[in-house]
């Protein structure tokens, strides 16, 4: 059973449709990259998957026990996040808040989850440091740990490597691969970087007003759309 199924979905702003007639699904353990040029509606789709934006048409169906509030989300970087005046531990632990509704106290299970995720991402020794003093790559690891605290089954990452240098970018992609393979957590990543997307992802959704392509990465590489955008790269 799919975690998320989009059936004939169109989304827009004030009657202005941004993406239309989307049909795709995300199964447990999938690694889906959403690619497409700036303004093609990638972030808009992400907001709808999170339930932050209504669809104009069609429906988004959640399955396999997934609730909208149990999606681990790593938003696009903003200056506000960069300057967040909290410790690493506090930022990671705050990932537990969304799934619980209006219940502002942390439990022992929340604290345990935060420590586990910091261990998993190799950032336990940063726990007491102030988030805003970290490097870009460390910050993304912290926000990834926070997203992992929020989910058992699906991570949604919106352009997570923007602004990172190539080495740190490579390390971050490796981390996502490892989480996807070892924990079986499905990953949906919005990316500009089609070349890297086809190296790691199991599925590709290529947006341009509608879904130019949805299918497995192997199918994408052989498709006319994939060949055009990959420029002959394997
Ligand atoms: P992408 O993530 O692929 O760059 P977006 O989803 O951010 O694309 O934007 C898709 C289109 O929707 C763009 O034309 C953008 O101007 C428009 N758009 C995005 N956010 C809003 C908003 N809050 N109000 C009105 N239009 C918006």
């Amino acid at each position: 059973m799919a975690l998320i199924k989009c059936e004939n979905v169109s989304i827009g702003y004030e009657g202005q449709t941004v993406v239309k007639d989307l049909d795709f699904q995300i199964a447990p353990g999938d690694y889906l990259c959403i690619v497409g040029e700036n303004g093609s509606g990638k972030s808009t789709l992400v907001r709808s998957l999170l339930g932050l934006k209504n669809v104009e048409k069609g429906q988004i169906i959640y399955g396999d026990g997934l609730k909208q509030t149990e999606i681990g989300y790593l938003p696009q970087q903003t200056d506000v996040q960069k300057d967040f005046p909290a410790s690493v531990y506090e930022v990671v632990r705050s990932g537990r808040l969304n799934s619980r509704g209006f219940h502002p106290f942390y439990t022992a299970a929340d604290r345990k989850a935060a420590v586990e995720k910091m261990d998993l991402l190799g950032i336990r020794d940063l726990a007491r440091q102030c988030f805003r003093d970290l490097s870009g790559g460390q910050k993304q690891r912290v926000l990834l740990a926070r997203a992992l605290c929020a989910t058992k089954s699906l991570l949604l990452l919106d352009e997570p490597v923007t602004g990172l240098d190539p080495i740190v970018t490579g390390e971050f992609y490796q981390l996502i691969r490892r989480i996807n393979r070892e924990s079986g957590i499905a990953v949906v990543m919005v990316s500009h970087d089609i070349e890297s997307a086809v190296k790691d992802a199991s599925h590709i959704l290529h947006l341009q007003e509608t879904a130019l392509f949805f299918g497995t990465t192997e199918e994408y590489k052989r498709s006319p759309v994939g060949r055009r955008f990959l420029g002959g790269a394997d």
Side-chain angles (χ1 to χ4, degrees):
M1 189 182 203
L3 290 168
I4 296 183
K5 193 161 192 242
C6 282
E7 288 184 347
N8 200 23
V9 164
S10 297
I11 319 167
Y13 298 91
E14 287 140 30
Q16 199 76 15
T17 302
V18 172
V19 278
K20 60 177 185 189
D21 306 331
L22 297 182
D23 278 299
F24 69 93
Q25 50 182 315
I26 302 153
D30 278 358
Y31 186 156
L32 171 71
C33 265
I34 303 177
V35 299
E37 286 170 14
N38 260 339
S40 60
K42 302 183 295 298
S43 294
T44 300
L45 172 59
V46 162
R47 299 193 69 225
S48 290
L49 296 179
L50 290 166
L52 302 173
K53 170 137 192 61
N54 289 333
V55 300
E56 284 177 339
K57 203 177 74 161
Q59 55 179 341
I60 302 178
I61 302 161
Y62 300 84
D64 206 39
L66 179 70
K67 296 189 193 129
Q68 268 178 344
T69 52
E70 290 174 0
I71 297 174
Y73 176 44
L74 198 166
Q76 269 189 37
Q77 283 191 60
T78 64
D79 291 337
V80 177
Q81 283 161 11
K82 282 184 196 147
D83 286 337
F84 202 61
S87 73
V88 164
Y89 171 66
E90 286 166 332
V91 172
V92 173
R93 192 181 55 171
S94 70
R96 299 281 292 187
L97 282 181
N98 199 23
S99 62
R100 253 188 294 118
F102 200 70
H103 195 295
F105 300 105
Y106 291 106
T107 63
D110 295 334
R111 291 188 278 273
K112 186 163 170 271
V115 171
E116 263 174 31
K117 303 312 174 200
M118 288 192 299
D119 274 339
L120 182 69
L121 299 196
I123 52 171
R124 177 103 176 252
D125 55 339
L126 302 177
R128 284 167 192 278
Q129 287 201 33
C130 190
F131 179 73
R132 68 176 161 217
D133 296 336
L134 304 179
S135 70
Q138 287 171 330
K139 280 184 179 137
Q140 287 306 75
R141 270 181 194 244
V142 172
L143 294 176
L144 184 58
R146 177 180 188 274
L148 279 170
C149 269
T151 194
K152 291 191 275 298
S153 56
L154 180 66
L155 278 176
L156 197 46
L157 316 171
D158 196 349
E159 308 251 12
V161 298
T162 304
L164 302 183
D165 71 45
I167 290 175
V168 177
T169 295
E171 287 169 359
F172 193 82
Y173 282 146
Q174 200 178 4
L175 203 53
I176 301 294
R177 266 199 311 270
R178 179 158 70 85
I179 291 166
N180 176 244
R181 287 186 191 156
E182 292 176 9
S183 319
I185 292 179
V187 173
V188 175
M189 185 192 289
V190 172
S191 175
H192 266 110
D193 181 358
I194 300 184
E195 310 276 335
S196 293
V198 297
K199 288 199 185 103
D200 288 343
S202 64
H203 293 76
I204 302 286
L205 173 63
H206 192 132
L207 292 186
Q208 190 178 297
E209 289 172 32
T210 182
L212 275 190
F213 178 91
F214 170 69
T216 67
T217 305
E218 289 310 312
E219 288 164 352
Y220 181 71
K221 288 197 224 168
R222 290 195 299 268
S223 71
V225 178
R227 287 156 71 143
R228 180 148 49 97
F229 283 89
L230 288 164
D234 253 346

